[in-house]
Amino acid sequence: MKLLTHNMLTSNIIKGVTKGFPLGIQVSKLEEKSVDFNPDFVARMIPKIDWSALKQAASDVGKGDEIPADIVPQYEQNEDFLKKAHHVLMEIEVIEGELVCPESGRKFPVSNGIPNMLLNEDEV
Amino acid sequence: MADSGKESKKGQRKVEKKLSKLRQNLKEKEEILHSDFPTLVLCVCNGGLDNSVTYSEILELFGGSEIKCDVIMIPQKSYCFVSYDSINMSEEACKRLNGSKLAPTESRKNEVILYTLFVKEVPKGISPSNVLPPGLILLTDIISDKYAAEIMESVNFDAEENSVSQQLKHRRVKHYGYEFKYSINNVDPDEPLNDRIPVIFKHLLEKLLEKKTIKFYPDQLTVNQYQPGQGIPPHVDTPSAFEDGLVSLSLGSQVVMEFRHPDGRHLSVLLPPRSALIMTGESRYTWSHGITPRKSDIVTLPNGRLTLIPRGVRTSFTFRKITGIKPTVQVSEQHTPNIPCDESTAVELEKLHVNKVYEEIADHFSGTRHTPWPNIVGFLNEQPDSSMLADIGCGNGKYLGINKTLYEVGSDRSFNLAQIVQSRNYQVYVGDVLAIPLRENMFDVCLCIAVIHHLSTEDRRQRAVAELLKILRVGGKALIYVWAMEQELNKVKSKYLKKNKNNESADTNTDDKNNATGYHGNTDVNSKAFELDNVTDCKENAEKTDEESNSDNVCNIGDKIDEVLNTDKENIDICDNEIEAGNSSENTNPNMSQKLHVHVNRTQFQQQDLLVPWQLKNGKSSKTRNENTFHRFYHVFTKGELETLCIKAGNCRILKSYYDQGNWAVVLEKL
C-alpha cells in the first residue's frame, strides 16, 4: 500500500464512525520501491490529497522528516518539493502492519501490502 | 422453366447467388456444412416443415417409384434432408430439383422455391457422434433379446402393482428401492419402498460389478417409459443423492441422448436397444443429459449415410446407489436455496454463493480473464491525465494499468483475487462494495464491472450504486456493467428481443409475472436512455464477457430460443398483452419462498435470480465427487433495470447506457 492509497482510505464505514480519517499506521514491514518521477502527475495529485494526513502517515512509518509540514507555495515549479512528495506518495509501501481507525481504534490488518477493509456484520 | 437461353442464364445466376447466401446461413446458424462435391445427403432449403412442406411432397419429388431415398423432416425448420444410396442418384436429384418450385397448397399460401445443397455435416444435435463425454461408458448388446423380453414382461406398466408408478408430463415412471421424489429431486433414505430392485436384474448388475464398470451394487431403480415424441429435459442427477456410476439400460426403441458441458460442448449419443449406458465422473457430475422430444432420430450408417429411424416406445431402467445423505442438507443442482427476501438471508446467500466461490475459483477465474473489453478500455482512455480511479470489484485487475496516466486503486471482496492484483503491482485492498472505505467526493472515475449482479436483493444493489456515487466527486463518472437477462440483443432486432423476452416469461412457470412486469414496465424509461453500442468489434474478441463465466454459457443461444419460441406461441401471445403493465423495475418477489434455479448452460435464463455453475478446471479429479462445480449467485438485469436502479440510488444522471455482449452498461455522472 502506497501512502497515496492510504490517503484515500477511511474507516467511516464502521457504524458510528463519522470521519474515520486519517487512519493511523502501525507498520512492521516497509518497502521502498523506485517509481519513475513524473512532476506533472505529482503536481496534479497535490490538490487532490490531504497533505496533513500524508504528513502524519509519513511520520507513522518513520519518514516524517522527508516532507515539509505544509505544501509550499508554487509547488508546481518546485522540483525539489515535488520529488520529495513523489517519494513519499509513490515509493514508500506498507507491506505488513495495521491501519487504525482514529475514532474507534478498530484495526485493519495490512498483509502482503493489501489492507483488509472488510468489516464484521455487527460493525456495519 | 425459362423460355430463352438468356433468361435461363439470368435465372441460374439468381439461384447461385441465393445458394451462396444459404450456404453461409446454414453454416453459421444451423451448423450444417455444405460440400462442394456430391455427397449422399442433400439439404433441401425451403423444403421444410416450417414452410408447410410435407414429408410426402418431398418424398415424391426427390424419390418417386424408381428412386429410393430417405426424407428427414425436422420440426420447426425450413429445410429438410434427403439421403440416397448412391452419389449418382443424389447428384441427379440435386441438378434436377435445384430451383424447382412447389405450388401453393391449402396450408401454404405462396409457392416455394427449393434450393438443394450437398451436405458434409449435419448439426450435432441431429446426428449422434462417435465421441463420448469423458467418463461415459456405452455397452451395446449388454443383454440378449430373450433376457430383454423377460425384463419387459416383469415390469408391466399396465398392471398396477404395489410399486410407485405415475404418469409424468413427458413419460411414465416407476420406482423401486426408494422413490425418487420429483418435487425435491431427491430420495429419502429413511423411506425405503417395499419393492426392492427385482431379482431379474441381478444377473446384469452383478456382471457390471464384476467387470468393475460400477463400484456399488445399486439399490434404487427408476423405470421410465417414453412414447415416440416424449423426452426428458437436460439435468444432472442430484449429486448428493446418488453415488458415482449411474446405469441406464435401454429397451425397446433406440434414442439419441444429448450431453452438454457447461463450457458449451454438446455431444449426442445414440443409445441402441439392449444397451447399457454408465455415467461416471465428469459425464455424471458435470455434463447434463436429456432427451429431445422427437418422433425420430437421424443416425449415421456405417457407410456414412444418414438415415432416419422412427422412435418407438423406449423403456429405460436407471439403476442408482443412494448415498444415504438426507435431502435438504446440501445445495445441489436441484436442491437450491430460496431467493432471499431480507438482508440477513441475502448476506448468508452471498457469503456462500459469491464470496466463498470467488475465493475458491480465484486462480482459475483469473486465468480466464485476459482480454479487456474494448468499450471499457475506451472509457478508461478518455479520462483526463492524473484522474483518480477506483475499480470496485476489480477481480484480477484486468482493467488496471490500461490508462497509465491515472492513479488507480482496485478492490475486491476476494483475498485470493486481491493477491493476484497485488502481484501485478497494482494498488488494491480487500473490501465490500456495500461499505467502500474510500473518502467521499474524492474520485474522478469509478469502475464497477460485473459486481452488482452478485447482490441478491434490490435494496443491496441500490445501496451499492449509492456507495459508488458516495466516493465520486461532483462531475465524476462511474461505469457500471451487469449481466443481462437478454442474451441475444446485439444480433437481432428489437422485434426479436421482444419475442425473446416474452419467451422467457412464457417459459417460466412460477416467476413469469415478475419477469414480465420487470421488463415491460421499463420500456418507456429505456427507449430514451437506451443506446445500442457498436459491438461488432468485440465479437472478434476471443474472450467472452466477464460473466459468461468460464464457458459459452450464454453465447449462441439464438437458435435455441427460436425453437422454444415456436413451441410456446400461445404463451407468447398472452404475454404480448401485458406490455403496458407495471411501471417499475422493482422485482420484489411476491412469492417469498421462490427457489433459486441452477442455470442450465446454453439455455435462456429462466429467472432473474439464479445460480450459475462454474466448472473448476485442473482441480482435483472430478471422478470421485462433484467438488469442482461451484454455484455463483446472479441477479441478471432486464433492459432498463440498471438505469432505474441508478436513478433511485441518488444524485446522478445517466450519460450513456448500452448493451455490450450480453451485459447492460451505464455511464453515470455524479450531480
Side-chain angles (χ1 to χ4, degrees):
Chain A
M1 179 193 64
K2 295 180 194 293
L3 294 190
L4 178 50
T5 300
H6 168 265
N7 208 278
M8 303 173 190
L9 288 172
T10 162
S11 58
N12 69 358
I13 49 174
I14 302 172
K15 193 164 54 183
V17 171
T18 50
K19 197 163 171 242
F21 180 83
L23 295 166
I25 305 175
Q26 293 175 356
V27 66
S28 57
K29 188 179 172 195
L30 204 65
E31 270 179 19
E32 296 198 14
K33 295 180 182 171
S34 169
V35 175
D36 290 342
F37 174 56
N38 177 345
D40 291 342
F41 174 83
V42 179
R44 283 195 215 105
M45 282 298 141
I46 300 294
K48 293 177 195 255
I49 62 168
D50 184 312
W51 187 265
S52 65
L54 181 69
K55 174 74 180 171
Q56 194 203 306
S59 306
D60 282 352
V61 302
K63 305 281 178 184
D65 301 341
E66 304 198 9
I67 46 168
D70 296 300
I71 302 173
V72 301
Q74 276 128 36
Y75 61 85
E76 296 96 327
Q77 280 84 46
N78 188 333
E79 197 177 290
D80 178 55
F81 171 81
L82 292 178
K83 269 192 174 158
K84 282 178 179 161
H86 165 77
H87 175 65
V88 172
L89 284 170
M90 303 294 287
E91 297 190 317
I92 294 173
E93 296 215 24
V94 178
I95 306 299
E96 304 289 335
E98 281 170 335
L99 301 177
V100 188
C101 168
E103 290 166 53
S104 67
R106 167 39 154 120
K107 289 179 179 175
F108 297 91
V110 180
S111 128
N112 187 30
I114 307 169
N116 174 7
M117 303 304 290
L118 289 176
L119 296 176
N120 299 324
E121 276 152 56
D122 54 3
E123 295 174 299
V124 187
Chain B
M1 265 173 272
D3 295 337
S4 73
K6 201 177 173 186
E7 269 186 42
S8 152
K9 248 189 180 172
K10 202 173 159 192
Q12 222 169 18
R13 272 208 304 276
K14 209 173 157 190
V15 170
E16 265 311 310
K17 210 173 156 191
K18 181 81 188 167
L19 274 175
S20 97
K21 214 175 182 181
L22 282 168
R23 282 184 201 118
Q24 194 68 17
N25 270 341
L26 287 175
K27 188 178 161 195
E28 284 171 10
K29 293 192 180 152
E30 306 287 341
E31 300 178 300
I32 299 168
L33 285 186
H34 90 281
S35 165
D36 290 331
F37 306 100
T39 63
L40 293 170
V41 182
L42 287 179
C43 178
V44 183
C45 301
N46 295 336
L49 294 170
D50 215 30
N51 282 1
S52 302
V53 175
T54 65
Y55 172 83
S56 52
E57 273 182 293
I58 295 291
L59 189 67
E60 194 180 315
L61 198 59
F62 284 78
S65 53
E66 312 256 304
I67 306 163
K68 202 175 153 276
C69 70
D70 280 336
V71 175
I72 300 158
M73 306 298 280
I74 298 160
Q76 295 151 22
K77 294 295 179 190
S78 62
Y79 54 82
C80 71
F81 296 107
V82 182
S83 73
Y84 292 89
D85 282 329
S86 80
I87 294 278
N88 284 348
M89 282 191 234
S90 64
E91 209 172 358
E92 186 278 327
C94 186
K95 268 188 196 152
R96 180 166 57 91
L97 296 164
N98 194 15
S100 62
K101 289 170 188 170
L102 289 176
T105 63
E106 266 181 37
S107 55
R108 190 170 64 221
K109 275 187 198 158
N110 301 316
E111 70 168 15
V112 165
I113 305 173
L114 302 178
Y115 297 96
T116 53
L117 296 164
F118 293 111
V119 175
K120 201 166 17 179
E121 243 176 72
V122 295
K124 278 174 193 160
I126 295 179
S127 177
S129 71
N130 295 322
V131 185
L132 299 180
L136 195 71
I137 303 159
L138 181 63
L139 303 170
T140 52
D141 295 316
I142 185 79
I143 60 170
S144 66
D145 280 322
K146 189 168 164 271
Y147 190 6
E150 283 168 19
I151 290 173
M152 284 310 292
E153 222 170 276
S154 78
V155 184
N156 188 351
F157 261 113
D158 299 324
E160 285 296 304
E161 295 162 29
N162 292 332
S163 51
V164 182
S165 163
Q166 63 192 114
Q167 177 93 42
L168 289 185
K169 191 178 166 194
H170 301 292
R171 58 196 195 274
R172 293 178 77 180
V173 182
K174 203 164 170 177
H175 303 287
Y176 297 90
Y178 296 87
E179 184 190 354
F180 186 78
K181 294 174 179 168
Y182 291 93
S183 53
I184 55 166
N185 277 303
N186 214 322
V187 291
D188 190 333
D190 294 340
E191 288 176 18
L193 296 171
N194 290 331
D195 284 345
R196 296 307 172 116
I197 296 180
V199 281
I200 192 163
F201 296 106
K202 206 175 162 205
H203 176 63
L204 166 71
L205 295 173
E206 280 179 351
K207 196 164 133 190
L208 293 173
L209 207 58
E210 230 169 77
K211 282 186 177 171
K212 303 208 162 132
T213 317
I214 51 173
K215 283 184 268 179
F216 310 95
Y217 193 92
D219 53 11
Q220 197 273 335
L221 165 63
T222 299
V223 187
N224 284 288
Q225 194 164 72
Y226 299 86
Q227 298 296 323
Q230 292 184 327
I232 184 165
H235 65 281
V236 173
D237 286 44
T238 313
S240 64
F242 305 109
E243 297 287 356
D244 198 5
L246 314 172
V247 179
S248 174
L249 174 72
S250 294
L251 297 184
S253 169
Q254 94 293 334
V255 83
V256 171
M257 188 170 267
E258 316 290 344
F259 284 85
R260 287 185 172 85
H261 190 275
D263 69 7
R265 274 178 286 160
H266 175 198
L267 292 170
S268 303
V269 178
L270 176 71
L271 310 182
R274 293 182 297 104
S275 69
L277 183 77
I278 297 106
M279 286 177 240
T280 72
E282 202 182 308
S283 69
R284 182 259 183 272
Y285 289 111
T286 310
W287 294 66
S288 73
H289 58 277
I291 296 169
T292 310
R294 272 207 301 260
K295 290 201 168 152
S296 50
D297 290 308
I298 298 172
V299 173
T300 314
L301 297 175
N303 62 3
R305 218 190 107 188
L306 293 174
T307 189
L308 189 74
I309 307 181
R311 283 185 190 171
V313 176
R314 169 177 174 266
T315 310
S316 83
F317 301 83
T318 307
F319 300 93
R320 298 177 282 204
K321 166 83 177 117
I322 69 162
T323 57
I325 298 172
K326 289 272 286 176
T328 76
V329 176
Q330 283 195 4
V331 171
S332 69
E333 289 280 326
Q334 267 81 30
H335 198 94
T336 62
N338 291 334
I339 295 171
C341 49
D342 60 49
E343 183 72 11
S344 64
T345 47
V347 170
E348 287 308 309
L349 176 77
E350 289 166 26
K351 256 191 212 166
L352 189 64
H353 285 291
V354 181
N355 309 343
K356 193 160 168 271
V357 174
Y358 276 103
E359 288 298 10
E360 303 253 10
I361 70 174
D363 282 338
H364 180 216
F365 174 83
S366 175
T368 62
R369 297 294 180 277
H370 311 286
T371 318
W373 277 41
N375 285 319
I376 301 174
V377 172
F379 173 80
L380 289 168
N381 284 332
E382 72 195 25
Q383 302 310 320
D385 284 7
S386 310
S387 293
M388 281 198 172
L389 175 138
D391 185 351
I392 306 299
C394 64
N396 67 350
K398 164 169 130 169
Y399 291 106
L400 299 174
I402 285 172
N403 180 345
K404 294 195 169 36
T405 72
L406 308 178
Y407 189 75
E408 301 170 321
V409 176
S411 84
D412 204 276
R413 191 76 176 57
S414 157
F415 287 85
N416 291 336
L417 285 170
Q419 295 287 352
I420 294 169
V421 179
Q422 170 76 12
S423 70
R424 297 167 75 177
N425 275 323
Y426 299 123
Q427 293 292 293
V428 66
Y429 69 87
V430 175
D432 197 307
V433 64
L434 290 176
I436 302 180
L438 296 171
R439 283 163 61 197
E440 294 169 19
N441 304 308
M442 172 103 189
F443 285 82
D444 305 296
V445 197
C446 189
L447 277 191
C448 190
I449 309 297
V451 173
I452 292 172
H453 55 212
H454 283 314
L455 298 169
S456 56
T457 64
E458 164 139 1
D459 177 57
R460 289 168 69 77
R461 294 187 284 273
Q462 190 180 314
R463 272 156 50 205
V465 178
E467 282 290 293
L468 300 176
L469 292 171
K470 173 189 89 175
I471 64 166
L472 284 177
R473 65 169 168 81
V474 171
K477 288 171 191 165
L479 175 62
I480 304 174
Y481 266 62
V482 292
W483 206 6
M485 181 99 178
E486 301 85 355
Q487 289 298 317
E488 269 299 314
L489 193 64
N490 50 342
K491 236 185 194 172
V492 200
K493 295 170 199 74
S494 55
K495 192 183 159 205
Y496 187 80
L497 168 70
K498 193 168 131 187
K499 275 188 177 177
N500 173 348
K501 193 60 219 164
N502 285 335
N503 172 43
E504 279 160 13
S505 311
D507 209 29
T508 319
N509 294 325
T510 50
D511 58 347
D512 51 354
K513 261 184 203 152
N514 253 349
N515 289 339
T517 44
Y519 169 66
H520 296 307
N522 275 313
T523 43
D524 282 344
V525 183
N526 303 334
S527 49
K528 286 167 201 147
F530 181 72
E531 174 187 336
L532 190 67
D533 213 335
N534 177 10
V535 289
T536 42
D537 341 358
C538 314
K539 288 212 130 170
E540 307 300 322
N541 208 333
E543 204 203 19
K544 309 287 188 330
T545 92
D546 264 19
E547 294 316 328
E548 279 161 1
S549 93
N550 53 341
S551 64
D552 272 6
N553 281 357
V554 291
C555 292
N556 308 322
I557 52 172
D559 300 341
K560 295 257 160 53
I561 292 169
D562 232 356
E563 281 170 26
V564 183
L565 265 176
N566 287 325
T567 56
D568 270 339
K569 271 185 179 134
E570 285 175 15
N571 290 335
I572 287 160
D573 289 340
I574 294 164
C575 283
D576 265 344
N577 299 330
E578 292 181 357
I579 287 179
E580 296 306 320
N583 53 10
S584 144
S585 76
E586 174 63 64
N587 281 289
T588 315
N589 294 302
N591 179 0
M592 288 306 190
S593 61
Q594 202 178 335
K595 283 270 166 225
L596 276 171
H597 293 198
V598 175
H599 179 57
V600 177
N601 303 301
R602 283 179 159 266
T603 61
Q604 184 55 285
F605 290 126
Q606 298 292 305
Q607 51 175 195
Q608 277 190 272
D609 297 290
L610 54 133
L611 296 175
V612 176
W614 174 280
Q615 184 59 32
L616 192 58
K617 286 178 187 155
N618 306 322
K620 277 176 268 175
S621 162
S622 58
K623 277 189 177 170
T624 48
R625 279 260 167 240
N626 191 28
E627 285 164 344
N628 291 335
T629 304
F630 297 88
H631 292 108
R632 285 181 297 169
F633 170 85
Y634 280 89
H635 171 87
V636 290
F637 280 65
T638 54
K639 184 183 172 188
E641 188 181 344
L642 180 59
E643 292 88 328
T644 311
L645 185 78
C646 293
I647 294 300
K648 275 173 147 183
N651 47 344
C652 68
R653 69 182 177 114
I654 293 161
L655 296 180
K656 185 181 174 188
S657 72
Y658 58 100
Y659 182 82
D660 193 352
Q661 298 288 299
N663 292 268
W664 292 111
V666 289
V667 179
L668 303 181
E669 184 189 330
K670 179 166 174 176
L671 296 175

